[in-house]
Amino acid sequence: MKKANYYFTLFLVLFTTIFSFMNMFQIVKVSTNVIQIVLSNLLPSLLPFMILISLCLSLGLFQLFSYFIQFLFSPLFHLTPHMSSLYFVSFFCGYPTNAKIIKESYELGYINIDQLQHLLSIASFSSLSFIFVSLGLPLDKAILIYLCHIAPSIIKAFIHKEDYQFLSFGETLYSLKNPHMTFVQALKQSIMSSLTAFIFILGYMLVFQFVGYSLHSIIQNEFILAVIQGFLEFSSGAIQLLKFNHFLVYPFVCFYLSFSGLSVLMQVDNILEGIPYSFQRYFKDRLVHGLASFLLCTLIILLLY
């Protein structure tokens, strides 16, 4: 699977290079739109979370949060204290920030590879700011989409069974007194790793936007183009799709948010480079989550609207 991802990425780079030479003016326009989305939506909503959470992990501060959240999340979802805190934070930080902090927790020894794989399957959400601000929806519609987006994950987390032990306050204090690195080292590492992650985000968003734009010469139906664009890159696809008055618009948006799009899948795979996780299982989990959100939203619309 890693080799397939490599060749797929290589094909995208080759396609983008050829397409750029043949469509210079359009490429500039598309790039400007993507950069605007990143600067106005992703940068203020994701980057602070990336830096702060990474910093807290390195300094042991995250264990303090794990100590308090464990009393609710550990019995409810059968997760270890650290997994509980990662799951809780994932509701707010958005992807691929979730993958970044899960990877760092694994590298610091807080979770094992099986726990990392489980967290990848349940702790993958779009940021709140994108759903409630960037989409520009009425509050009731935004709440509907958000609930349909997170419900399948909560159900899966609820039925999961895993042995766990509560974290003692003494263990928490030990983590605070013995951080993994100094504050300066932790801050430097947090900023550098977060900026690297953002380079992946911007790069893959640009590539998949170019692929989506190239389809205009093949497909003339704007609705179908928006649907395909959502599969490639969820944010622009969801925004484009909301311009249409169609019964399936909201279910498709729910699918995009839960599936996360090929762009995010590739971003996560790059962030998790060197981690022995199963991309195939991760892809299947995202697809099942997306389909469940799609069906749930469709059912609610049929019943209420």
Side-chain angles (χ1 to χ4, degrees):
M1 185 59 66
K2 284 290 184 181
K3 185 178 292 186
N5 290 344
Y6 169 77
Y7 285 120
F8 180 67
T9 303
L10 194 62
F11 167 78
L12 288 178
V13 172
L14 179 61
F15 171 83
T16 305
T17 303
I18 297 174
F19 184 75
S20 300
F21 280 116
M22 298 174 62
N23 301 270
M24 292 299 295
F25 293 107
Q26 291 86 347
I27 286 296
V28 172
K29 182 179 179 180
V30 173
S31 300
T32 302
N33 293 336
V34 172
I35 292 173
Q36 182 61 39
I37 292 174
V38 171
L39 292 178
S40 60
N41 297 323
L42 298 183
L43 189 65
S45 63
L46 293 184
L47 188 59
F49 267 108
M50 281 189 180
I51 295 175
L52 289 175
I53 296 176
S54 180
L55 187 63
C56 289
L57 281 170
S58 299
L59 296 177
L61 292 171
F62 206 75
Q63 287 296 83
L64 182 62
F65 179 69
S66 299
Y67 175 77
F68 291 105
I69 200 67
Q70 68 179 339
F71 299 111
L72 174 63
F73 269 50
S74 289
L76 189 61
F77 299 118
H78 293 88
L79 300 172
T80 66
H82 193 86
M83 292 175 69
S84 297
S85 58
L86 289 174
Y87 187 46
F88 179 83
V89 169
S90 69
F91 283 93
F92 305 94
C93 66
Y95 38 63
T97 306
N98 67 304
K100 181 177 181 296
I101 61 177
I102 291 172
K103 173 190 177 182
E104 291 175 353
S105 295
Y106 171 77
E107 291 178 330
L108 292 173
Y110 289 122
I111 59 175
N112 59 39
I113 191 61
D114 292 328
Q115 294 169 337
L116 177 144
Q117 193 78 54
H118 178 61
L119 284 171
L120 287 177
S121 71
I122 63 172
S124 182
F125 305 108
S126 176
S127 65
L128 291 175
S129 62
F130 180 78
I131 298 175
F132 288 95
V133 179
S134 301
L135 292 180
L137 291 170
L139 183 59
D140 61 328
K141 299 296 192 301
I143 292 175
L144 168 66
I145 288 176
Y146 179 67
L147 292 178
C148 292
H149 170 42
I150 67 172
S153 169
I154 294 177
I155 294 172
K156 183 175 182 178
F158 184 74
I159 63 177
H160 174 74
K161 301 299 180 182
E162 180 172 337
D163 294 332
Y164 66 89
Q165 290 183 337
F166 283 123
L167 183 68
S168 69
F169 193 67
E171 292 173 311
T172 304
L173 289 178
Y174 180 83
S175 298
L176 291 172
K177 294 178 180 178
N178 300 274
H180 294 276
M181 57 188 73
T182 65
F183 176 80
V184 174
Q185 290 175 322
L187 181 61
K188 180 180 178 180
Q189 185 270 338
S190 300
I191 293 175
M192 293 301 296
S193 62
S194 298
L195 291 177
T196 301
F198 251 84
I199 292 174
F200 284 126
I201 294 174
L202 179 58
Y204 277 106
M205 283 187 67
L206 283 171
V207 169
F208 281 102
Q209 284 284 349
F210 298 159
V211 174
Y213 181 83
S214 69
L215 294 176
H216 279 79
S217 59
I218 304 173
I219 303 173
Q220 303 301 319
N221 189 302
E222 293 295 328
F223 180 78
I224 295 178
L225 279 171
V227 170
I228 295 175
Q229 182 62 46
F231 281 95
L232 298 174
E233 203 286 304
F234 83 96
S235 58
S236 60
I239 292 172
Q240 292 177 30
L241 200 60
L242 287 172
K243 298 176 182 177
F244 297 92
N245 184 19
H246 195 283
F247 169 73
L248 292 176
V249 165
Y250 291 149
F252 266 122
V253 171
C254 288
F255 175 86
Y256 299 150
L257 296 177
S258 299
F259 177 63
S260 75
L262 293 181
S263 175
V264 171
L265 293 177
M266 299 305 294
Q267 293 168 29
V268 169
D269 189 52
N270 276 275
I271 288 174
L272 295 176
E273 182 68 29
I275 303 298
Y277 85 109
S278 171
F279 179 82
Q280 185 176 6
R281 180 179 165 188
Y282 171 60
F283 179 88
K284 184 168 61 176
D285 289 335
R286 298 273 46 79
L287 183 60
V288 171
H289 188 177
L291 291 174
S293 296
F294 179 92
L295 294 174
L296 179 60
C297 185
T298 302
L299 179 63
I300 293 177
I301 290 176
L302 287 174
L303 293 175
L304 298 181
Y305 298 95

